[in-house]
Amino acid sequence: MANQVMPFNAPSPEPYISVVIPVFNEEDNLEELGRRLVLTLTAMERPFEIIFVDDGSADRSWEILTQLHRQHPQHIRALQFHRNFGQHQAIFAGFQAARGRVMVTLDADLQNPPEEIPRLVAKIEEGYDTVGGWRENRQDSFFRKFPSFLINQVMSRVTGVKLRDYGCMLRAYRREVVDSINQCHETSSFIPALANLFSRKVAEIPVGHAERERGQSKYSLIKLLRLNVDFMTGFSNFPIHMVGLMGLGIALLGVAFGAFLFLRRLLLGPEVEGVFTLFAILFVFLGLNTFALALVGEYVGRIYREVRGRPRFVIRQELGAGAGIRGQGPGGSSQ
Ligand code: UDP
Ligand code: MG
């Protein structure tokens, strides 16, 4: 590679590939990940950069990233968030700092093998705007797979692009798609779906998937649920339409039931024990009402978050070619 003959700290050439990796307490994985990434990307013989975004880790992650940057100052950059802002915010920050023509995202836990990157890039070079990895043989528990199944269904409907695996973060994007993503300032978003909104040609290729060997998944069941509700309400009004339709259906059933009770009273006389039936029905209504209210609340909450316009993330420090990335609020500009 050309970098071997370059003087220490000389500006690296414009990278062709930028790899963006969110990191949250991954001290056990980073060294191996860095080593495998540098090997794979060097073999591709194209200028590249690797951008790690430390999402407020409390372990030695930042220390290890600093070491990696010292070992490969031309190729490894790192951003550190002030605290934990979430995986997708970390990718947003990485995208704003990235300079490559082709952007690749990857998890830090080695579940996505870095050795698959050349295949993703080759597919982009065939003329696709976005190339998603599809975990053919996914090594996760049922509790991880089932919500993913639901998300895939909803996202395929909403974005009009049917993909098998929206959740796989091993993906590649053409620069223009990432430029469009960088112009979106919504406070919470889901990058694979957002990318599809800006891509004309989307491909999906099977990629390997390993079990997480070190460290734990950063998503508890509650955090996962929160994320999924966020995705669904963030990308469509479908849930609220469903509740509206349900309300209408139930109201009609209520009218039919009223008519039935009225006729019954005329034909058979007044019904006394029916009181408990009414209770049952009342509870159904009450439950649905509360549910609908919560759903409306979710949308109102989203609007409130957007209106406040707080920065999406705050960066504490940066190592490597500084692109001057700062916390992004809606309407803010990165350049
Ligand atoms: N991650 C992050 N911030 C978070 C949670 C996760 O940056 O708040 C990173 C994490 O370090 C990993 C990736 O996002 O690189 C995916 O997380 P994880 O492997 O825990 O998710 P799973 O594979 O269980 O879906
Ligand atoms: Mg993982």
Side-chain angles (χ1 to χ4, degrees):
M1 271 299 296
N3 66 305
Q4 252 106 43
V5 291
M6 251 185 238
F8 188 67
N9 261 354
S12 49
E14 275 296 276
Y16 176 72
I17 302 171
S18 296
V19 181
V20 172
I21 305 166
V23 175
F24 183 47
N25 295 339
E26 303 280 5
E27 59 183 1
D28 296 327
N29 295 316
L30 289 175
E31 271 154 15
E32 182 181 341
L33 178 66
R35 190 174 47 74
R36 282 167 62 182
L37 271 171
V38 170
L39 266 179
T40 307
L41 293 166
T42 307
M44 291 179 75
E45 303 195 325
R46 303 256 177 65
F48 68 90
E49 63 178 359
I50 304 168
I51 304 176
F52 289 99
V53 184
D54 179 357
D55 185 13
S57 300
D59 64 358
R60 290 179 52 245
S61 293
W62 182 252
E63 216 177 298
I64 300 170
L65 292 180
T66 312
Q67 279 166 19
L68 284 174
H69 166 69
R70 288 214 188 100
Q71 284 162 16
H72 307 276
Q74 304 294 341
H75 290 131
I76 297 193
R77 301 167 60 189
L79 308 178
Q80 186 186 32
F81 276 2
H82 210 63
R83 43 152 280 233
N84 182 240
F85 287 95
Q87 177 187 358
H88 288 260
Q89 300 304 345
I91 298 176
F92 272 121
F95 275 170
Q96 280 167 13
R99 299 165 299 168
R101 298 285 326 146
V102 181
M103 314 270 189
V104 176
T105 57
L106 188 73
D107 282 348
D109 56 5
L110 294 170
Q111 285 193 279
N112 308 138
E115 291 74 21
E116 301 276 15
I117 292 176
R119 289 179 54 226
L120 291 172
V121 174
K123 201 80 186 161
I124 289 277
E125 286 168 347
E126 271 176 37
Y128 289 93
D129 297 316
T130 296
V131 178
W134 154 49
R135 292 166 286 187
E136 199 174 12
N137 185 14
R138 184 167 173 190
Q139 304 295 319
D140 273 324
S141 70
F142 171 78
F143 291 104
R144 295 308 321 265
K145 286 189 201 168
F146 184 67
S148 299
F149 168 76
L150 289 182
I151 280 291
N152 283 338
Q153 299 300 316
V154 174
M155 286 300 164
S156 297
R157 267 188 74 114
V158 170
T159 60
V161 184
K162 193 153 174 39
L163 291 189
R164 291 178 213 244
D165 197 353
Y166 267 93
C168 179
M169 291 313 289
L170 179 54
R171 313 179 80 83
Y173 309 93
R174 193 176 284 280
R175 159 106 242 157
E176 290 72 17
V177 173
V178 170
D179 283 342
S180 305
I181 292 179
N182 283 346
Q183 284 173 26
C184 297
H185 297 289
E186 54 220 67
T187 35
S188 60
S189 203
F190 182 46
I191 286 163
L194 203 56
N196 282 354
L197 297 182
F198 301 118
S199 305
R200 202 158 54 92
K201 285 181 77 183
V202 180
E204 208 172 22
I205 60 175
V207 292
H209 192 243
E211 226 165 307
R212 197 183 235 282
E213 282 177 16
R214 282 169 294 229
Q216 294 203 327
S217 171
K218 306 302 178 284
Y219 288 102
S220 62
L221 205 59
I222 284 290
K223 206 171 162 189
L224 210 63
L225 196 71
R226 193 46 266 144
L227 202 71
N228 287 352
V229 170
D230 210 36
F231 291 165
M232 295 208 192
T233 53
F235 274 87
S236 87
N237 289 331
F238 178 70
I240 208 148
H241 290 161
M242 281 311 291
V243 171
L245 277 179
M246 223 152 64
L248 199 69
I250 288 168
L252 287 175
L253 279 178
V255 171
F257 189 58
F260 166 74
L261 286 181
F262 180 68
L263 282 178
R264 193 189 142 100
R265 191 188 172 106
L266 282 188
L267 297 176
L268 301 177
E271 173 210 36
V272 182
E273 285 97 27
V275 146
F276 290 105
T277 321
L278 273 181
F279 260 108
I281 295 167
L282 202 69
F283 277 128
V284 174
F285 278 106
L286 217 66
L288 282 173
N289 250 321
T290 316
F291 177 68
L293 206 66
L295 193 62
V296 174
E298 175 67 30
Y299 281 102
V300 174
R302 284 193 86 86
I303 298 173
Y304 180 50
R305 276 208 308 265
E306 301 300 335
V307 167
R308 275 188 317 212
R310 290 188 182 153
R312 294 192 293 186
F313 51 79
V314 182
I315 291 184
R316 177 185 278 173
Q317 51 183 319
E318 257 180 85
L319 299 175
I325 303 303
R326 291 290 162 256
Q328 284 298 292
S333 152
S334 59
Q335 260 48 260

